[in-house]
Structure formats: structure tokens, C-alpha cells
Amino acid sequence: MHQQTEHVRKWRLYVFVAICGLMSTPATAITPEVEELIRSWSPLVWLHSEEKFLPSSVEFFLPEVTVQDNQSVIIQDYVTPENIISGEASLTLHMQTREPLDCPSCYNLGMFFGQAIENGGVPTYTIYREYDDAFKTLDVSYFAFYPYNRGKDACVGVPINGSCAGAEKNLGNHVGDWEHNALRFRNGQPYMIHLNVHSFGAYYEWNETTKNFQFFVGEEVRSAVDPDYDDSPYEKDARYEPQYPPTVELMGTHPVVYSANGSHGLWGSPDVHTYVPGLPLQDFTDEGIAWTTWDNLILIPWLPSNISYEGNLNWLNFLGDWGNSAEGCEYEIVTGECELGSGPSGPRSKVDFPDPQPKTSMSN
């Protein structure tokens, strides 16, 4: 579930491409030390015990979609990781399921249920970036792809004392779902972790004494509706910070994170996490199915925006939406969400840490 407005996200992608354009160049080989660090600290992800919408590989998903423009004209019919249209030409495009949905909030397609995660059945796409700075900084982002994101039942009437006077509607569904957490290392040691939750998240700083990550700062949720809205039909810009868990614990050296049921945002504990009160919007996490991501990591070196990925990583150069166009937006002015939202952007648009500065921290 994502709440970033379409025009802001597209603007950011235009800037991303406009800086340099795309061309090809080979990547530097990973060292054994860096590879060991990446694998040792890859997350243990607890999927919810009632999770129906499992992750999948990109190869599993792409044959089930076409690439279309904003007029629903098919631009590319047969899509593979190697041949998908890429670069600036893909900015205004989106993927669309070959088979139509029965309704905007329906999930009638079999591929929405993903693939079995046991024995490394689903890859985690792991993008790493090394810096030549005083701390030998290494940033690693662990990306999971899900063919479908299930939205939330939200009050579209009037919320009163925790109940809804009027109708509820299932909102915020979307085809395609990229989720990730990111780790920053300094001098071969963990420094900070970021857990991505939909369009927001939290940073946790490594504590060498307690051997865990401790809450550092949380990002605010931006919503088009006030948590205590009345029945006035106009948009409001509200911001609030969820109650983030205080720590991220480890299993050995693997951070333990919890994926929200259906919508897959990552949290640091099993709980009910309310991130927009009033409606309310909540994530439910528990220790359901253990996904040991280190069983299948695809290691991908970070490349700047003027360099393209090649071969079976060409899909990373697609800059459009990884899912169907939006439908069922009658309540968007009240809730900030459609029944079916547009798909998310891909991994290359995600940046969690600022470029490191010598002898500084994120708080300086």
C-alpha cells in the first residue's frame, strides 16, 4: 500500500533520468569479504500466519503482464526480464495484467498468490553500494517483490470512537509490490538499518553493547485525510508518526523483521501497528512463516542513473509502474486511496541513506 501522489513520484523519476540518461558499462566484481557481510546480515522475514499473497520472482510475474501507456494502448505484449522496455522511454508506462480483474478490489488471478518461499524458492534482490570514504561505507538494500498488495478495510463514513458510522470500503490494493529493508555498514560493522513500511519507515541504529538495532528516528505518514475527519468532502494534508517498535532484534547476525499481512510493510515486532488513526489503517504482523532470505540472494551492484543494467537484470531499467492503472477512486478525496491504486516504482527509485560524509552521522 503506497500513498505517494502520482505526479510527485513521476517528477522524481524524470529528475532521476534527466541527470544523465542511460548507457551501458560493466560492473566491478564483488569481493568475498563484502559478499560474506551481505549474506550474514540478510534478514529473517516473518510472513504473517494468514498471508495469502506470497512473494515471487520477477520472472514469474512478467509473463502475466503487458506494458501499456496511459491511454491503455499496449506498447509491449511479450515481456521478459531481458527485453522489457527501459530507460526514459518507460517513464510514463505501466504494467497491466493480461487477464482483467473482476472488480477494482478483486484478486481473481492465480499469479497474485506468488510462489512458495521454502528452500530458496523466491529470490531477494540485493543491491549493494560501496563508498570510498573514511568509514568504508557499504549500503545494502534487500528487495522483495510481491505480485499483489492487499489493501485495508477503511471507514468511508464517519469514524466515531473507534467504530464506523456508515460504510467501509477495501482501499489501497495494487498489482505489484516492492518492499525492502536497507543496511548501512561502516568499517565492516553494522551502523544503521531502515525498515520500509509502504511510503514511510523507521531508522534503527546499531548498539554494540546490546547487540541489536535501537530506534533512531521515524518517518511521518503523509495522508490526504485528517485522522479525525468529519463528513466534509474536501482534502486535508495530515502528518503523523506511527508508534514504531523500539528495537530490531537478531537471529545470529540476521535482523528479524515482520511483514504485514497482505500489504507486506516491514516492522520490527509482531503486533498491530496503526499508522493512520481514524480510518484506521493498520498493519498486522506475527511469527507465521519464516522466510530465510539468505537461501536465495541475487547480488546486484549499484549503478548510477547514467548506466544501465544488462541481460537478465535489464528489468531494473524499467522506470514505469509495476502494476495496473488506478481504478475505483470515488473515495480518494476522503481517504487518499483508490480501491485499486497504481503500481509502485521499481528498486532504482529507492534511496534510504544519504551519501556518507566523513566523520558525520545522519543527525549532523
Side-chain angles (χ1 to χ4, degrees):
M1 193 170 190
H2 58 99
Q3 297 172 313
Q4 187 179 66
T5 62
E6 181 70 11
H7 72 278
V8 169
R9 192 174 63 77
K10 288 296 185 187
W11 177 82
R12 287 175 177 168
L13 284 172
Y14 274 116
V15 172
F16 168 82
V17 172
I19 292 173
C20 305
L22 290 173
M23 59 185 182
S24 296
T25 194
T28 304
I30 189 171
T31 65
E33 294 78 14
V34 169
E35 181 171 353
E36 176 61 24
L37 202 60
I38 292 170
R39 294 188 181 279
S40 297
W41 289 85
S42 58
L44 169 64
V45 180
W46 280 106
L47 302 180
H48 194 272
S49 56
E50 298 179 2
E51 183 62 71
K52 295 191 294 187
F53 305 105
L54 296 175
S56 81
S57 67
V58 167
E59 289 81 358
F60 174 86
F61 177 75
L62 290 182
E64 306 297 331
V65 300
T66 62
V67 176
Q68 301 186 5
D69 65 15
N70 56 15
Q71 302 298 316
S72 300
V73 175
I74 295 177
I75 304 301
Q76 187 173 20
D77 188 17
Y78 176 66
V79 182
T80 70
E82 295 82 4
N83 77 1
I84 190 169
I85 190 169
S86 62
E88 189 171 359
S90 65
L91 269 170
T92 60
L93 304 180
H94 68 274
M95 300 179 190
Q96 189 80 17
T97 54
R98 291 184 174 276
E99 298 296 324
L101 305 187
D102 290 344
C103 68
S105 61
C106 292
Y107 48 92
N108 53 286
L109 305 185
M111 66 101 164
F112 285 171
F113 300 98
Q115 297 175 286
I117 62 172
E118 291 79 6
N119 302 314
V122 174
T124 297
Y125 300 99
T126 308
I127 299 178
Y128 64 93
R129 181 179 184 181
E130 297 180 76
Y131 292 89
D132 185 17
D133 69 319
F135 298 110
K136 299 180 181 179
T137 300
L138 170 68
D139 289 345
V140 185
S141 296
Y142 300 90
F143 284 92
F145 179 74
Y146 297 78
Y148 187 70
N149 176 103
R150 188 62 180 166
K152 311 293 183 183
D153 292 329
C155 178
V156 295
V158 179
I160 300 175
N161 297 325
S163 61
C164 182
E168 288 189 336
K169 200 78 172 176
N170 187 267
L171 303 172
N173 305 285
H174 53 88
V175 177
D177 188 22
W178 283 104
E179 302 290 348
H180 72 286
N181 75 276
L183 267 167
R184 168 161 284 186
F185 298 91
R186 285 181 166 183
N187 297 316
Q189 299 298 318
Y191 173 65
M192 190 165 288
I193 190 171
H194 178 261
L195 301 189
N196 177 251
V197 190
H198 315 309
S199 61
F200 53 98
Y203 291 88
Y204 294 79
E205 198 165 27
W206 176 250
N207 187 303
E208 183 63 27
T209 301
T210 57
K211 301 294 184 182
N212 63 5
F213 292 94
Q214 299 191 356
F215 180 77
F216 179 68
V217 65
E219 296 169 318
E220 293 179 323
V221 180
R222 297 184 64 181
S223 177
V225 61
D226 189 273
D228 299 314
Y229 71 87
D230 53 28
D231 58 357
S232 302
Y234 60 87
E235 290 190 76
K236 304 175 182 179
D237 184 17
R239 299 167 180 255
Y240 11 80
E241 184 175 319
Q243 185 67 42
Y244 291 105
T247 63
V248 174
E249 302 296 335
L250 303 182
M251 187 195 77
T253 57
H254 299 286
V256 180
V257 299
Y258 298 82
S259 174
N261 187 24
S263 58
H264 313 127
L266 296 177
W267 298 86
S269 68
D271 209 339
V272 178
H273 308 278
T274 300
Y275 57 94
V276 178
L279 290 173
L281 298 181
Q282 297 176 313
D283 276 348
F284 297 84
T285 59
D286 68 11
E287 292 187 358
I289 310 166
W291 182 9
T292 52
T293 61
W294 53 92
D295 290 335
N296 188 353
L297 297 181
I298 295 180
L299 303 183
I300 304 168
W302 175 90
L303 296 179
S305 61
N306 64 322
I307 301 175
S308 66
Y309 289 92
E310 299 177 330
N312 61 3
L313 294 179
N314 174 62
W315 57 268
L316 282 161
N317 306 318
F318 179 77
L319 302 179
D321 294 341
W322 281 73
N324 291 22
S325 56
E327 296 182 54
C329 298
E330 294 83 359
Y331 296 98
E332 186 178 19
I333 194 171
V334 177
T335 65
E337 295 284 354
C338 299
E339 289 183 71
L340 182 71
S342 57
S345 56
R348 293 195 84 174
S349 66
K350 312 295 193 293
V351 179
D352 297 298
F353 297 112
D355 286 352
Q357 299 296 323
K359 300 180 182 180
T360 65
S361 72
M362 290 183 63
S363 59
N364 294 134

